[in-house]
Amino acid sequence: MAGRAESLRLAILLPITSRTSDFSKPSQSPGVLERIIAGLQTLAASLHGSSSSSSSPATTVLLGIDSDDALLLDNQQQLLDAFAPAAGSSTAAAAAAAEVHVLMFSEEQRAGYGPGAVCKLWNIMAAAAVEKYQCDLVVLLGDDTAVEPPGWTELVRAAFTAQPQLLLLLLLLLLLLLLLLLLLCDLLQVMILRSILSTRQAW
């Protein structure tokens, strides 16, 4: 079962922005880059608790950046470095906690959406995670999210692989409930028709 859990690839989707009123003037928001990196480091720390024995990471992190966000574009390496293992860490699991990639959002992709509307961007990232990076599961997060406990990605994978027979049983149960609901609807319809006919005969 552990092997199956490790075979599931998990994507963490993080659309981030410097939130400046003018992307070409990042100096308008002093300290923004530091806050974003600190948030990414907090999230990265939770990934380093993984106990995966796989030689390659089973987690992909996608950082979504606006194509005209000068502050983040000029500091992409710092964003990627936020996911590097903590200084002094020598565990293979920490070193291979996640693959991190930057995904650019074009003006066309962002057309009609304000800075707070990230649902479309998450959809774009989810499509890339599945189609380009061959991920099986996706998690939608923000750049200031803290997740516990450390190694939580393994718990997510395990939840989707544990007891597949139970999942099948639940699916069959839902199907049975649906059939019963349809049967009840048919019976109710027959009762209503009989009531209408009885009323007409009484008249």
Side-chain angles (χ1 to χ4, degrees):
M1 188 65 68
R4 290 191 59 188
E6 290 179 2
S7 68
L8 285 179
R9 188 159 197 82
L10 175 68
I12 300 175
L13 313 183
L14 300 174
I16 58 179
T17 172
S18 64
R19 299 175 179 85
T20 57
S21 58
D22 184 348
F23 284 153
S24 65
K25 300 177 181 178
S27 59
Q28 290 184 356
S29 298
V32 166
L33 180 63
E34 290 74 14
R35 289 196 294 272
I36 290 176
I37 291 176
L40 295 179
Q41 288 174 334
T42 298
L43 175 61
S46 71
L47 303 180
H48 295 154
S50 171
S51 60
S52 173
S53 59
S54 175
S55 59
S56 61
T59 300
T60 295
V61 177
L62 295 184
L63 303 178
I65 299 177
D66 292 321
S67 59
D68 54 355
D69 193 328
L71 176 63
L72 298 184
L73 292 178
D74 292 344
N75 294 278
Q76 289 185 57
Q77 191 57 51
Q78 291 191 54
L79 300 177
L80 297 175
D81 289 345
F83 288 87
S89 174
S90 59
T91 64
E99 290 181 356
V100 188
H101 304 278
V102 172
L103 181 66
M104 300 289 183
F105 297 129
S106 66
E107 290 186 20
E108 181 180 1
Q109 289 174 321
R110 293 184 289 108
Y113 287 80
V118 297
C119 291
K120 181 181 180 182
L121 303 183
W122 268 329
N123 288 340
I124 295 171
M125 299 178 77
V130 173
E131 297 169 6
K132 183 175 181 179
Y133 297 103
Q134 305 300 307
C135 294
D136 304 290
L137 311 169
V138 295
V139 177
L140 315 179
L141 296 178
D143 56 76
D144 56 353
T145 304
V147 184
E148 294 183 350
W152 60 272
T153 54
E154 294 303 313
L155 299 178
V156 172
R157 272 186 285 271
F160 280 88
T161 54
Q163 302 297 332
Q165 298 86 354
L166 179 59
L167 294 177
L168 179 59
L169 181 61
L170 289 175
L171 182 61
L172 292 175
L173 180 59
L174 288 175
L175 181 59
L176 179 60
L177 290 175
L178 179 60
L179 292 175
L180 288 175
L181 181 60
L182 292 175
L183 179 60
L184 288 175
C185 289
D186 288 340
L187 291 175
L188 182 60
Q189 188 177 27
V190 170
M191 292 175 63
I192 292 174
L193 289 174
R194 286 182 176 177
S195 177
I196 293 174
L197 291 175
S198 298
T199 302
R200 288 183 176 179
Q201 290 175 355
W203 281 92

